[in-house]
Amino acid sequence: MSIDSEAMVWFLMRAAYGQEQKAQEFLETKGIETFLPLQEHCFVRDGKRVKKMQSLIPNFLFVKSTENEMKKYIGKHPVDFLHHYYVPHKDNSGNAIGTKGIKPLVIPDEQMAAFQQWYAIPVSYTHLTLPTNSLV
């Protein structure tokens, strides 16, 4: 794949509910960098405690690529459920720029790096202390 690394940016992509990991796996097989923050979710099923990894931000996947590269896959089989997350694109007077007045949301590299760094910090609940009621 020949993607100009200078033109690559982080896009926030929207996927159908529960399809974020499928989209991530597909894009990574194409050599596209992705980031999908997950969290452990515990629930009870048939009387048993079950742990499952779920998306920290449901329906969203971060993708580092070019807009032209993503056009090859967005809305097309096998990831027809994957689309850009769009934001308004207007001039200073509030007039729409382009035919629809929207553009894909791009996450600045510094913000994405900070988010990835924050996500990498392990969370431990063993050191939490609850306040005690001293008025008893």
Side-chain angles (χ1 to χ4, degrees):
M1 181 172 57
S2 61
I3 295 179
D4 177 10
S5 63
E6 295 300 316
M8 291 179 22
V9 295
W10 282 103
F11 291 106
L12 179 61
M13 305 298 292
R14 183 176 48 84
Y17 185 77
Q19 298 297 309
E20 306 92 347
Q21 289 179 325
K22 181 178 178 181
Q24 179 185 35
E25 291 167 5
F26 174 81
L27 293 173
E28 287 180 349
T29 63
K30 301 297 181 187
I32 297 173
E33 183 179 354
T34 66
F35 178 63
L36 178 61
L38 299 171
Q39 66 180 352
E40 188 176 75
H41 179 70
C42 297
F43 56 95
V44 177
R45 179 185 294 157
D46 297 328
K48 295 182 182 179
R49 185 176 169 166
V50 178
K51 293 181 182 179
K52 182 179 178 183
M53 296 303 287
Q54 291 184 332
S55 178
L56 181 65
I57 310 170
N59 300 68
F60 292 109
L61 173 66
F62 298 92
V63 177
K64 188 168 190 175
S65 186
T66 63
E67 193 167 355
N68 284 334
E69 182 68 17
M70 291 309 298
K71 285 179 183 178
K72 296 178 188 177
Y73 310 112
I74 292 175
K76 298 178 182 150
H77 184 75
V79 288
D80 51 347
F81 53 82
L82 184 68
H83 301 278
H84 279 292
Y85 182 84
Y86 292 99
V87 294
H89 187 61
K90 300 180 179 186
D91 62 18
N92 291 337
S93 302
N95 298 319
I97 297 174
T99 56
K100 295 183 180 179
I102 57 175
K103 64 180 179 177
L105 178 63
V106 173
I107 311 292
D109 286 338
E110 309 80 43
Q111 290 179 7
M112 195 66 206
F115 179 54
Q116 289 172 314
Q117 185 178 9
W118 169 83
Y119 176 74
I121 298 172
V123 176
S124 174
Y125 297 103
T126 58
H127 301 293
L128 292 178
T129 57
L130 298 174
T132 57
N133 189 346
S134 60
L135 300 175
V136 178

